[in-house]
């Protein structure tokens, strides 16, 4: 069930946003997932947002979506 948030609860919340970032030579799916502003399964979210396979390498200079605050 749902309930209405109090003004205090609503004031503590901040929206998450998608940010597009370029991968560097040293980036891989784990390092990019570590940049996500999510505590629940960031690797799975990164793969899903970018249509990637866990085993696939990232291309240096390619742009990828991450979740940020």
């Amino acid at each position: 069930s749902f309930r209405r948030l109090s003004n205090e609860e609503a004031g503590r919340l901040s929206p998450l946003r998608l940010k597009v970032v370029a991968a560097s030579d040293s980036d891989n799916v784990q390092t990019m997932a570590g940049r996500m502003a999510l505590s629940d399964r960031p690797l799975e979210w990164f793969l899903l947002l970018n249509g990637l396979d866990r085993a696939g390498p990232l291309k240096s200079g390619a742009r990828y979506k991450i979740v940020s605050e």
Side-chain angles (χ1 to χ4, degrees), residues 2-43:
F2 293 95
R3 68 173 178 80
R4 191 173 282 284
L5 294 176
S6 70
N7 288 339
E8 180 183 327
E9 290 171 316
R12 289 192 307 245
L13 298 176
S14 62
L16 297 177
R17 292 174 166 67
L18 286 181
K19 185 176 180 181
V20 179
V21 297
S24 68
D25 290 334
S26 61
D27 279 325
N28 57 43
V29 291
Q30 287 82 14
T31 60
M32 292 293 270
R35 296 168 65 179
M36 303 265 281
L38 298 171
S39 58
D40 186 33
R41 297 183 287 178
L43 177 59

Side-chain angles (χ1 to χ4, degrees), residues 34-66:
R35 296 168 65 179
M36 303 265 281
L38 298 171
S39 58
D40 186 33
R41 297 183 287 178
L43 177 59
E44 287 81 1
W45 277 107
F46 177 76
L47 295 171
L48 178 69
L49 285 171
N50 292 287
L52 299 174
D53 185 337
R54 190 179 298 257
L58 298 182
K59 296 176 186 165
S60 179
R63 298 168 62 88
Y64 296 96
K65 295 179 281 287
I66 63 169

